[in-house]
């Protein structure tokens, strides 16, 4: 086939393939144009998920009658003039292809009137057919009506999802734009039924709560940072409101919703050890960066950006979120359910039974074998290990004031339940602690501090410890050699199906972990999941496993001194509310919840 020029319609439809993926893409482009036109109110109406109708009306600057034809022409724009303008883009749109691309795959009508003009102008485009502009009536601002999207590209229309799915995508697109521009009022109607209505002039905080849900306010932590040319503000969700998808993660750069790998990685790292790896935090980030230090012209839909210094942005986001999480008490609260009904101002015996039953049932859900507080066993243990504490207890009306061991938390107000849970209190209520999960966090932080100073201390074995492995795992040993060196382990192949451990981590030895068991589990994990290509991520995963092996287990009886030391360490380490895998180490039953359950309120 000879080389030839493509017809304008084909050119525009190719551009539409990049810009107009689905109805939500059309809504995004049109609303961004309205925002760039300084609109303070935007109304979006759709029908059939945007297939049959998308109408966007704004009260912005409007388009002069003489520029209507240019407005729907390809690569015509009022937002840039020279290549220098591409180096500091401050508007949401700038390519000048949105209206032309949308018109090439729909029946488009544009009616616009600048402020001060006597009348509006109207232009209609259908595929490659364009009518001459003509006068029309209408208020100041612009209305773009898009009908029968993809009518002339049926293959594209066939790949659209259900009406509900496409409507949901449009709603999320508008919510994202609304978050980035709280000064603008935004309304969405579906088949003339209001679905979203956000007032103009909201504060960023009020807009966030309006979009995310006001009920989440207690679960959102403010964050703010301004350093090295990056200003950040926003909200970071507590771990308990993490979701199974990234749908509730919103990142804005100079008001533009964006997706960036460096920022996504920083968010993930900030929550490492607070969430199960399959969960994603709820977070809203507003970044302000000099437009000259970022390139937004790297993706047709402008969803991805390129920073001049991505490491600076990564560090700033990581620091901002970590500070917010570090300064907060992340202990999850326990809700025992509806308040029981009371027949009088004082709790009756049966009502007290309801509250007590709910409380005990909560522990049974934690461990079905749980039978309650074994007071006699606790007192017997204290009698044999620290009788002076019981003597001190008898002279005090409360045990919270007892100070016996200056370097330890007093343990006469602590119960070990089912050799698995510690029950104690703080100024906010009752604390229920999973001893294994908490000690696992303590062990992990200990290992992290140690490995930060160099390779972990190693102990050579008098005789190599032999580990039988699957022959296919011998090759993995070579991939793991660098990691093993960092954690103080020296291991080499000793035949087609055996590994010889010549030196082992001193820390694990001290915690009673046997070399064959650890090496076998490490190789099994590498076989199942592969060796992480990121050395630091692989190290974190291995330290997680080491901490789990080294920690006290559920079912281990702890002495009063061991309990006191564990609680002291809980106050000393960061992120003590979660184990390295993201499970809670501690639950809090607040004073308010106790009073509510016992009818004191």
């Amino acid at each position: 086939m000879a080389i030839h020029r493509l017809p304008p319609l084909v050119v525009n439809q190719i551009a539409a393939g990049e810009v107009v993926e689905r109805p939500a893409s059309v809504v995004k482009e049109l609303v961004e144009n309205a925002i760039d036109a300084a609109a303070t109110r935007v109304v979006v109406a759709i029908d059939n998920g945007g297939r049959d109708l998308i109408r966007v009306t704004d009260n912005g600057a409007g388009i002069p009658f003489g520029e209507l034809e240019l407005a729907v022409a390809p690569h015509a724009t009022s937002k840039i003039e020279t290549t220098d303008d591409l180096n500091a883009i401050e508007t949401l749109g700038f390519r000048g292809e949105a209206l032309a691309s949308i018109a090439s795959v729909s029946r488009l009508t544009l009616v616009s009137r600048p402020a001060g003009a006597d009348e509006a102008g109207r232009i209609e485009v259908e595929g490659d057919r364009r009518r001459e502009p003509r006068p029309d009536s209408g208020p100041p601002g612009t209305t773009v009506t898009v009908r029968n999207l993809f009518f002339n590209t049926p293959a594209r229309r066939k790949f659209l999802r259900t009406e509900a799915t496409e409507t949901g995508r449009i709603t999320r697109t508008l919510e994202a734009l609304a978050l980035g521009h709280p000064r603008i009022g935004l309304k969405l109607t579906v088949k003339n039924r209001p679905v979203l209505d956000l007032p103009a002039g909201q504060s960023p905080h009020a807009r966030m709560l309006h979009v995310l849900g006001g009920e989440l306010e207690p679960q959102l932590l403010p964050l703010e940072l301004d350093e090295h040319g990056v200003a950040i503000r926003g909200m970071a969700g507590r771990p308990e409101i993490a979701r199974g998808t990234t749908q509730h993660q919103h990142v804005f750069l100079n008001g533009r919703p964006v997706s960036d790998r460096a920022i996504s990685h920083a968010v993930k790292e900030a929550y490492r050890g607070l969430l199960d790896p399959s969960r994603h935090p709820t977070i809203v980030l507003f970044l302000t960066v000099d437009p000259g230090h970022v390139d937004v012209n790297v993706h047709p839909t402008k969803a991805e950006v390129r920073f001049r210094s991505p490491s600076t942005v990564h560090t700033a986001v990581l620091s901002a979120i970590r500070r917010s999480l570090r300064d907060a008490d992340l202990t999850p609260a326990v809700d025992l359910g509806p308040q029981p009904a009371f027949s009088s101002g004082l709790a009756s015996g049966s009502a007290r039974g309801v509250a007590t039953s709910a409380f005990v049932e909560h522990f049974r859900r934690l461990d079905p074998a749980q039978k309650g507080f074994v007071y006699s066993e606790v007192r017997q243990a204290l009698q044999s290990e620290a009788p002076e504490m019981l003597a001190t207890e008898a002279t005090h009306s409360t045990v919270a004031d007892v100070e016996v061991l200056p370097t330890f938390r007093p343990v006469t107000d602590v119960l070990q339940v089912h050799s698995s849970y510690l029950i104690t209190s703080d100024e906010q209520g009752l604390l229920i602690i999973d001893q294994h999960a908490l000690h696992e966090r303590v062990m992990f932080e200990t290992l992290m501090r140690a490995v930060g100073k160099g390779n972990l201390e190693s102990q050579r074995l008098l005789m190599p410890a032999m580990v039988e492995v699957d022959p296919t795992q011998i090759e993995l040993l070579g991939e793991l050699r660098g990691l093993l060196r960092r954690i103080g382990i020296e291991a080499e192949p000793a035949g087609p199906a055996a590994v010889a451990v010549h030196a082992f981590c001193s820390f694990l030895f001290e915690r009673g972990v046997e070399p064959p068991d650890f090496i076998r589990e490490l190789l099994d994990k590498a076989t199942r999941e592969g060796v992480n290509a990121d050395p630091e991520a692989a190290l974190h995963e291995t330290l997680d496993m080491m901490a789990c092996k080294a920690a006290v287990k559920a079912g281990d009886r702890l002495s009063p001194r061991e309990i006191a030391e564990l609680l002291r360490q809980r106050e000393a380490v960061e992120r003590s509310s979660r184990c390295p895998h993201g499970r809670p180490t501690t639950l809090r039953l607040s004073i308010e919840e106790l009073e509510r359950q016992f009818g004191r309120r």
Side-chain angles (χ1 to χ4, degrees):
M1 183 180 293
I3 297 174
H4 61 284
R5 290 185 179 276
L6 291 173
L9 177 62
V10 176
V11 172
N12 287 337
Q13 288 188 346
I14 291 173
E18 297 177 333
V19 176
V20 186
E21 180 184 3
R22 56 188 352 104
S25 308
V26 175
V27 172
K28 174 180 179 294
E29 296 291 340
L30 296 181
V31 174
E32 285 183 346
N33 280 347
I35 294 172
D36 285 341
T40 59
R41 180 69 175 167
V42 181
V43 179
V44 180
I46 65 171
D47 196 357
N48 193 18
R51 288 178 177 84
D52 297 343
L53 171 69
I54 298 172
R55 178 180 292 116
V56 177
T57 302
D58 69 64
N59 63 351
I63 302 171
F65 185 86
E67 297 179 10
L68 288 177
E69 286 188 285
L70 274 175
V72 295
H75 307 299
T77 181
S78 62
K79 299 170 186 177
I80 61 172
E81 291 185 3
T82 68
T83 55
D84 291 339
D85 295 333
L86 290 174
N87 296 324
I89 294 171
E90 299 187 37
T91 54
L92 296 178
F94 56 89
R95 291 170 178 265
E97 61 186 15
L99 287 175
S101 297
I102 294 167
S104 71
V105 290
S106 70
R107 297 181 171 94
L108 182 144
T109 301
L110 187 154
V111 177
S112 190
R113 176 185 168 188
D118 294 333
E119 59 185 0
R122 178 189 187 96
I123 189 168
E124 298 175 3
V125 186
E126 180 179 318
D128 59 348
R129 295 195 296 274
R130 180 191 308 166
R131 294 186 179 181
E132 291 294 320
R134 64 179 188 272
D136 204 335
S137 60
T142 300
T143 297
V144 180
T145 303
V146 177
R147 297 186 184 275
N148 307 121
L149 185 63
F150 301 136
F151 80 97
N152 54 355
T153 54
R156 297 278 302 281
R157 189 176 177 96
K158 181 178 66 176
F159 280 100
L160 295 180
R161 302 299 183 183
T162 65
E163 178 180 355
T165 298
E166 298 298 341
T167 298
R169 284 175 167 150
I170 290 171
T171 304
R172 289 192 294 274
T173 296
L174 290 175
E175 287 176 342
L177 289 168
L179 278 171
H181 301 275
R183 68 175 180 82
I184 297 174
L186 199 152
K187 183 176 182 180
L188 170 66
T189 64
V190 179
K191 296 180 179 178
N192 297 319
R193 178 177 57 85
V195 171
L196 187 68
D197 196 354
L198 301 171
Q202 285 188 302
S203 68
H205 182 75
R207 179 60 60 90
M208 277 189 277
L209 294 179
H210 205 137
V211 172
L212 297 179
E215 72 281 359
L216 292 182
E217 184 169 19
Q219 306 292 340
L220 297 172
L221 307 170
L223 58 85
E224 190 169 352
L225 180 142
D226 190 349
E227 56 187 40
H228 306 300
V230 181
I232 302 174
R233 58 181 174 80
M235 304 291 281
R238 292 176 178 272
E240 41 280 36
I241 60 170
R243 308 297 179 97
T245 69
T246 58
Q247 184 175 317
H248 287 78
Q249 291 185 9
H250 300 276
V251 179
F252 300 88
L253 174 64
N254 299 340
R256 179 192 304 278
V258 298
S259 173
D260 178 75
R261 291 182 180 179
I263 295 175
S264 297
H265 185 268
V267 171
K268 184 176 180 180
E269 284 299 303
Y271 279 87
R272 181 186 289 277
L274 293 177
L275 294 178
D276 182 285
S278 65
R279 307 289 289 175
H280 303 276
T282 294
I283 196 161
V284 181
L285 293 175
F286 299 97
L287 282 73
T288 303
V289 178
D290 183 340
H293 293 174
V294 59
D295 183 2
V296 299
N297 191 28
V298 297
H299 192 274
T301 64
K302 306 178 292 292
E304 297 178 9
V305 296
R306 181 184 294 125
F307 293 101
R308 179 180 295 178
S309 178
S311 60
T312 300
V313 176
H314 181 279
T315 300
V317 172
L318 183 62
S319 298
I321 301 173
R322 277 184 171 169
R323 288 181 193 176
S324 178
L325 296 172
R326 184 187 61 220
D327 295 343
D329 182 354
L330 299 180
T331 304
V334 177
D335 183 357
L336 296 181
Q339 179 181 1
F342 297 102
S343 57
S344 65
L346 294 175
S348 66
S350 61
R352 281 196 301 270
V354 171
T356 305
S357 168
F359 183 69
V360 172
E361 186 58 32
H362 175 75
F363 286 102
R364 284 180 176 158
R365 286 196 298 272
L366 291 176
D367 185 339
Q370 175 60 40
K371 301 193 184 308
F373 301 145
V374 189
Y375 294 105
S376 59
E377 293 183 16
V378 173
R379 291 188 64 84
Q380 183 179 352
L382 287 173
Q383 186 67 55
S384 63
E385 299 184 42
E388 73 282 0
M389 293 186 181
L390 290 181
T392 308
E393 177 186 355
T395 64
H396 288 72
S397 57
T398 65
V399 297
D401 300 324
V402 180
E403 293 289 346
V404 178
L405 301 173
T407 59
F408 292 99
R409 180 189 179 97
V411 296
T412 51
D413 60 340
V414 181
L415 295 172
Q416 186 183 26
V417 180
H418 204 60
S419 300
S420 300
Y421 304 103
L422 305 180
I423 313 298
T424 185
S425 63
D426 64 6
E427 65 278 2
Q428 298 179 52
L430 199 64
L431 297 178
I432 308 107
I433 298 170
D434 181 328
Q435 65 188 39
H436 170 71
L438 175 56
H439 199 222
E440 190 176 357
R441 167 57 69 181
V442 170
M443 294 290 94
F444 177 79
E445 295 298 332
T446 301
L447 288 165
M448 282 293 293
R449 286 194 299 271
V451 82
K453 299 175 183 177
N455 294 344
L456 296 182
E457 183 180 320
S458 182
Q459 183 173 331
R460 293 204 68 81
L461 307 182
L462 293 176
M463 294 289 291
M466 303 303 296
V467 187
E468 293 184 4
V469 299
D470 189 288
T472 59
Q473 295 178 328
I474 296 295
E475 293 182 11
L476 290 173
L477 201 62
E479 297 183 51
L480 293 169
R481 184 165 285 112
L483 173 63
L484 292 173
R485 187 182 307 112
R486 294 190 70 180
I487 63 174
I489 296 177
E490 182 183 328
E492 298 291 342
V499 171
V501 182
H502 298 280
F504 196 60
C505 175
S506 300
F507 176 87
L508 292 179
F509 258 139
E510 292 169 2
R511 297 302 305 172
V513 179
E514 293 295 328
D517 294 340
F518 182 81
I519 292 296
R520 191 176 294 111
E521 183 170 334
L522 183 62
L523 289 174
D524 286 345
K525 181 178 183 297
T527 301
R528 289 192 313 271
E529 304 171 12
V531 178
N532 198 314
D534 182 346
E536 290 304 311
L539 176 64
H540 275 249
E541 293 170 1
T542 305
L543 295 183
D544 284 354
M545 193 174 81
M546 295 171 69
C548 185
K549 288 283 190 184
V552 298
K553 304 298 187 288
D556 289 350
R557 294 292 298 182
L558 303 182
S559 70
R561 183 173 290 273
E562 288 172 327
I563 292 174
E565 174 61 11
L566 184 56
L567 294 180
R568 185 193 68 78
Q569 291 173 326
R570 176 178 179 269
E571 303 298 327
V573 302
E574 285 192 29
R575 306 189 171 208
S576 62
S577 65
R578 301 270 166 170
C579 81
H581 309 295
R583 292 193 305 109
T585 67
T586 308
L587 300 176
R588 175 180 286 114
L589 188 58
S590 68
I591 295 294
E592 290 78 8
E593 179 67 13
L594 283 169
E595 291 179 339
R596 188 171 69 89
Q597 289 293 330
F598 281 101
R600 292 183 178 272
R601 290 193 171 188

